């Protein structure tokens, strides 16, 4: 019995010491640069958002962030690498919709578990998909597109940045809601898809906000946004709800996550400082420039959001018929 009490006392002491160590580490955190893994190439929405938020967050924390781009396999390569990093607060992931919600349903096998291998930190922002047509298209409204598709089943086509891309899955939702038969034209990336749309080679696209310069130049016309509210960058463009096609919501969202096991005190500190960044006028101004909607909230809220998106996209991926190795 005495040995049992001694073991219990030792366990309590070790637990207390571990808690004290974690709290002390958080109190002095960060004491060195922080690596932010971006599982996409430079220049895209995830990378741009990561650089903006990490720059401002680094200023608040007093340590610089180092952005590490590891693209490939729909975000899977960099995300798997991030999952294997030391959970000490100095290794973070710019999480996003594909690797952290969609790919678990789209790929036959992943080298990571998007839930078990990560701790959510904060939901940073989202950019909605926008229904766009060529600048000289005869389609002036969402109804025009749907009417043309119904009159000509299997003939109207749409572009995307590739099979399983956000544009593709947004169009799958659009077609299902409108009950239309349309043809998918996948490209090797968003840029060539946008170029062909602007040239009038395809009928429409549910693009990300990278299309804003084309809209501003008159090379594309925005008919609706796939979000619950109008986008500040396009205040005169209705939502799909307003355009008569309710319930179609599609966006590319971004957040910050950490490897599982990262001390809760460090997660809490990162969350508090990131929330302050997200509320700052400078961050909001820079997000508005490319049509992003600012996030925020607790780690638990971000975790619940990712879980709900994972469930929602399981049905959408099933509807698309896409399965990748």
């Amino acid at each position: 019995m005495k040995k049992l009490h001694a073991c219990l006392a030792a366990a309590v002491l070790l637990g207390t010491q571990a808690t004290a160590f974690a709290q002390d580490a958080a109190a002095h955190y960060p004491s060195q640069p922080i690596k932010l893994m971006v599982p996409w190439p430079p220049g895209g929405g995830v990378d741009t958002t990561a650089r903006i938020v990490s720059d401002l967050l680094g200023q608040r924390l007093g340590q610089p962030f180092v952005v590490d781009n590891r693209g490939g396999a729909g975000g899977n390569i960099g995300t798997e690498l991030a999952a294997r990093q030391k959970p000490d607060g100095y290794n973070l992931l710019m999480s996003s919709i594909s690797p952290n919600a969609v790919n678990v349903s789209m790929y036959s096998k992943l080298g990571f578990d998007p839930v078990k291998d990560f701790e959510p930190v904060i939901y940073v922002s989202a950019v909605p998909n926008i229904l766009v047509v060529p600048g000289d298209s005869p389609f002036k409204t969402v109804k025009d597109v749907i009417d043309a598709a119904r009159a000509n089943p299997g003939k109207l086509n749409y572009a995307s940045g590739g099979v399983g891309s956000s544009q593709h899955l947004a169009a799958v939702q659009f077609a299902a809601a409108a009950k239309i038969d349309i043809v998918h034209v996948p490209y090797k990336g968003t840029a060539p898809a946008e170029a062909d749309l602007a040239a009038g080679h395809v009928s429409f696209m549910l693009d990300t906000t990278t299309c804003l310069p084309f809209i501003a130049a008159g090379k594309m016309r925005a008919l609706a946004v796939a979000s619950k509210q109008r986008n500040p960058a396009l205040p005169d463009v209705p939502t799909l709800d307003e355009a008569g096609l309710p319930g179609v919501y599609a966006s590319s969202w971004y957040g910050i996550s950490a490897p599982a096991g990262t001390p809760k005190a460090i997660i809490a500190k990162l969350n508090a400082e990131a929330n302050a960044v997200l509320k700052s006028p400078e961050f909001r101004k820079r997000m508005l420039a490319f049509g992003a909607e600012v996030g925020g909230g607790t780690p638990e809220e971000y975790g619940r959001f990712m879980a709900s998106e994972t469930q929602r996209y399981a049905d959408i991926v099933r509807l698309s018929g896409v399965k990748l190795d």
Side-chain angles (χ1 to χ4, degrees), residues 161-209:
V163 173
S165 64
S166 66
Q167 300 104 328
H168 177 201
L169 297 182
V172 168
Q173 293 183 70
F174 177 77
K179 297 180 173 58
I180 54 177
D181 178 15
I182 49 180
V183 179
H184 181 206
V185 183
Y187 288 79
K188 293 182 178 179
T190 297
E194 289 174 334
D196 263 16
L197 179 72
H201 299 316
V202 283
S203 304
F204 72 95
M205 184 175 179
L206 272 144
D207 202 2
T208 62
T209 54

Side-chain angles (χ1 to χ4, degrees), residues 15 142 181 196 229 287:
V142 174
D181 178 15
D196 263 16
Q229 292 86 32
M287 289 294 100

Side-chain angles (χ1 to χ4, degrees), residues 10 12 28 33 36 60 77 83 106 114 118 128-129 134 136-137 144 172 176 190 212 219-220 242 267 275 304 314:
V12 170
H28 294 90
L36 181 61
R60 287 192 63 87
I77 292 175
M106 186 174 294
F118 294 100
N129 288 77
D136 59 357
S137 170
D144 290 343
V172 168
T190 297
L212 290 176
K219 294 181 179 180
M220 291 184 191
E242 292 174 322
I267 296 288
N275 267 305
R304 288 193 294 270

Side-chain angles (χ1 to χ4, degrees), residues 11-53:
V12 170
L13 178 61
L14 286 172
T16 303
Q17 289 175 335
T19 301
F21 178 79
Q23 290 175 339
D24 183 66
H28 294 90
Y29 173 85
S31 58
Q32 64 188 59
I34 301 166
K35 183 170 73 174
L36 181 61
M37 182 75 70
V38 175
W40 302 93
V46 184
D47 178 69
T48 301
T49 304
R51 291 178 187 277
I52 293 172
V53 72

